[in-house]
Every structure is written in C-alpha cells, then in structure tokens.
Amino acid sequence: AGFASVDYNLWSDNGRVLLVLIMLVGGCAGSAAGGPKCVRWLLVIKHIGRQLTRTLHPRAVLPIRYKGQIVSDPIMRAVFTLVVLYVFGYFLVGLLLVLMGVDMVTGFAAALACLGNVGPAFGEAGPMGSFAGFSQPAKILLIISMWIGRLEIISVLALLHAHVLRNLRFRAR
C-alpha cells in the first residue's frame, strides 16, 4: 500500500544488509510476496549440500526430504531453475536500471523490491520516497518486473514460449 512507519534508509549498513537478505528470500510459501520464497531457498540449500556430499561419496543415495516426504529430482530441478531465474532477473533488472542512470544501490534495491514484490526499495525509491523520479523506460521496466515477479517467472516464460505463441488463436464473435 506504500505505507511506511520508519525510514530504514537511515539505518546502519548492517540493518540494511539484513533487509536486503530478507528481500532476496521473498515471502513464505502461499504469501502474496513474489520472489523465490523461503521453502524454495531451503530446498536449494539442501540440494547444494547433497551435491557437495555426492562429490565425496558418488554412490551415496541422498534423497532430499521436506516435511518427511522425499522431494523428487524433477521438482528439485524446477525449484533450482526458478531460484536461478530470480537471481538472474534481479541482476539483469538492476543492471538495466543502472545503465538507465539510476544509482547502483537504488537500482538493485528497486529490482529486488519490484521483481520480488516485497515493498519499497532504498534511496530515492525508499520508504519516504517514490519511483516518481525514475525515467519512463525505468518505470516500464519496473512495471514489467513487478508483473513477472507476481506471476512468477516460469509462468510468464511459459506464456511467452514460441510453442504457445505459435498456437495462439483469437476467436472473433
């Protein structure tokens, strides 16, 4: 809603770094926030741990469990892909904003805020500011980022896949 009770731009660097880490995680499973979500990060960390163990013990059978149930490899690949796409998206949108003239901290924080749909960013786009000072192309990029983040990257990429677009038919009534 754009409401803020405190200007966290005035916080110490440690506090702002913690806030960025929370923004990177996104919300909890089922929340309205975008981003990779806590449960996906947990599965990615378990997957990385399993891969490191497999390096030492290549024949080990190491299933990944979540709430007592084994998570299948296809699901793990999908989760890992989603998290990698979000991190790549954060970097890409932040880099494009910096190339459009936004300072680095504000640009990358705005990328996190918009792609993750987690609220205000830092700097000019912080809790006591707005995105009004951004250029039109930057605003359009951030609007698209918010849309992609809210629908989740995989859904948008699936809609934009060549197979879907090739078979798209509009019916006139």
Side-chain angles (χ1 to χ4, degrees):
F3 299 116
S5 58
V6 67
D7 186 0
Y8 51 76
N9 279 322
L10 304 176
W11 290 2
S12 69
D13 289 340
N14 292 338
R16 288 186 294 172
V17 166
L18 180 63
L19 197 55
V20 166
L21 292 175
I22 292 169
M23 289 168 69
L24 269 169
V25 169
C28 293
S31 77
K37 313 273 176 135
C38 296
V39 67
R40 292 179 180 140
W41 281 109
L42 175 68
L43 291 173
V44 164
I45 290 167
K46 286 184 175 192
H47 176 73
I48 290 170
R50 177 177 70 172
Q51 292 307 108
L52 292 173
T53 304
R54 276 193 176 157
T55 301
L56 298 172
H57 308 284
R59 294 184 184 174
V61 176
L62 305 165
I64 293 176
R65 295 182 186 274
Y66 178 70
K67 290 188 176 181
Q69 294 185 345
I70 294 174
V71 180
S72 68
D73 283 342
I75 291 175
M76 282 306 307
R77 276 192 299 275
V79 166
F80 202 82
T81 300
L82 183 85
V83 170
V84 166
L85 285 172
Y86 265 108
V87 171
F88 178 73
Y90 292 146
F91 177 76
L92 181 64
V93 172
L95 182 64
L96 288 173
L97 287 171
V98 169
L99 292 175
M100 289 179 191
V102 178
D103 72 273
M104 190 173 291
V105 171
T106 303
F108 279 96
L112 279 171
C114 290
L115 193 58
N117 287 289
V118 292
F122 291 123
E124 164 187 357
M128 302 303 163
S130 72
F131 291 90
F134 284 58
S135 67
Q136 286 301 106
K139 287 179 189 175
I140 291 170
L141 175 64
L142 291 172
I143 289 168
I144 292 169
S145 298
M146 289 177 77
W147 178 70
I148 290 171
R150 187 65 190 98
L151 294 178
E152 296 208 347
I153 291 176
I154 299 292
S155 303
V156 174
L157 290 177
L159 286 173
L160 298 176
H161 191 275
H163 178 75
V164 172
L165 295 176
R166 190 174 30 246
N167 295 321
L168 190 63
R169 304 276 188 261
F170 292 102
R171 296 181 190 171
R173 292 185 181 220

